[in-house]
């Protein structure tokens, strides 16, 4: 590969003609003709960089490094064989064979996996406007906002301890609209919420119908704190995510390794949801018999039973399991704790119901 070095007169910095600072001054059609990504000393073919884009559990930078080493070694051995076969024609009786082997060029080592990752990061920066446009073009009519601390605990280096929460906003088909790192929930999420509202307004998209949250779904006033953060969306209905409601009830269980834990959680889910009768009948006609649990989950919708029926069923379930024990006499519930949890969670039963006209293909879980 041949190029020229351009030197800046004031700072004496040298730049290769293929470097990004030079290529950015060209139009896209000419810029795409350059087949390599340059670093300070080495260059990497863009075909290799493309192999890093779809990195998964079995397609890491280390795996690509091993694959490149194998390919380079095979190519080196093939070229060495050709070199020696051609050189044999010039061998005489006085020629020392060891001198021929000594003249064999050495294979250039493949750069390390960390260098491959650095090249990939450099290439991603060139596509940053495109990636930003693609990410900010995601919308949805049913949103879910959830926060967790698990991701921030994995931050290392200078980023460690700089954030306490990670908050994601996704739509009904699992796409992520926005992800932010904050020091706290509540008011700390106001810039994110304002940004979502502005994004919808600028794109001319209809505001979402429903927002599922893990907290602040309701309050003593007309609107909860979550709805107040999206005050511009007057028709937005805020609901508590059922998975978080179930986890709040499960806090009253003595241990999740209890033999009765799984049956209790299954019955608790059945107290909240019911299968759509029309979908079940059509599935029975298609299967010609009783469908399995996997077939129901794949082809049928589930809807909430209603606040009154849900409350009665959960109360009956708690009464049935309140004195339940395993073979060693260990109770499933901490009775006093479960009674307090149920007292505080009863007002949220209305918040977990499906809004009128909204029915989702859903499962319990993240």
């Amino acid at each position: 590969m041949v190029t020229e070095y351009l030197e800046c007169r004031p700072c004496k910095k040298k730049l290769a003609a293929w470097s990004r600072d030079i290529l950015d001054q060209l139009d896209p059609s000419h810029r795409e003709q350059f087949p390599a990504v340059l670093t300070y000393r080495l260059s990497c073919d863009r075909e290799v960089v493309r192999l890093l884009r779809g990195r998964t559990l079995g397609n890491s930078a280390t795996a690509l490094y091993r694959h490149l080493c194998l390919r380079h070694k095979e190519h080196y051995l093939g070229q060495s064989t050709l070199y020696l076969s051609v050189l044999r024609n010039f061998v005489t009786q006085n020629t020392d064979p060891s001198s021929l082997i000594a003249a064999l060029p050495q294979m250039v080592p493949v750069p390390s996996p960390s260098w491959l990752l650095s090249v990939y990061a450099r290439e991603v920066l060139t596509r940053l406007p495109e990636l930003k446009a693609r990410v900010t073009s995601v919308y949805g009519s049913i949103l879910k906002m959830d926060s967790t601390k698990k991701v921030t605990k994995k931050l290392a280096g200078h980023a460690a301890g700089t954030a306490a929460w990670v908050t994601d906003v996704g739509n009904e088909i699992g796409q992520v609209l926005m992800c932010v790192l904050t020091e706290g929930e509540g008011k700390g999420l106001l810039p994110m919420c304002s940004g979502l509202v502005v994004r919808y307004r600028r794109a001319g998209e209809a505001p979402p119908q429903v927002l599922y949250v893990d907290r602040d779904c309701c309050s003593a006033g007309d609107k909860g704190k979550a709805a107040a953060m999206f005050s511009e969306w007057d028709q937005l209905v805020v609901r508590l995510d059922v998975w978080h409601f179930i986890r709040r009830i499960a806090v009253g269980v003595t241990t999740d390794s209890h033999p009765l834990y799984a049956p209790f959680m299954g019955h608790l889910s059945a107290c909240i949801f019911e299968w759509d009768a029309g979908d079940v009948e059509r599935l029975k006609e298609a299967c010609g018999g009783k469908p399995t649990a996997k077939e129901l989950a794949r082809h049928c919708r589930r809807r909430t039973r209603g606040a009154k029926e849900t409350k009665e069923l959960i109360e009956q379930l708690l009464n049935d399991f309140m004195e339940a024990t395993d073979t060693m006499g260990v109770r499933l519930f901490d009775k006093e704790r479960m009674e307090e949890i149920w007292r505080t969670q009863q007002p949220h039963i209305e918040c977990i119901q499906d809004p009128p006209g909204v029915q989702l293909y859903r499962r319990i879980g993240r």
Side-chain angles (χ1 to χ4, degrees), residues 102-122:
L104 187 68
Q106 297 296 319
M107 186 183 76
V108 178
V110 179
S112 64
S114 59
W115 182 84
L116 292 174
L117 281 178
S118 66
V119 173
Y120 174 70
R122 186 187 296 261

Side-chain angles (χ1 to χ4, degrees), residues 80-93 95 100:
S80 299
T81 304
L82 178 62
Y83 172 79
L84 294 176
S85 64
V86 174
L87 202 61
R88 187 186 307 168
N89 300 326
F90 301 95
V91 173
T92 63
Q93 294 181 354
T95 302
L100 300 179

Side-chain angles (χ1 to χ4, degrees), residues 39-51:
T39 60
Y40 185 72
R41 295 183 181 276
L42 301 174
S43 64
C44 183
D45 194 296
R46 291 177 64 179
E47 292 298 326
V48 175
V49 178
R50 291 188 179 98
L51 295 176

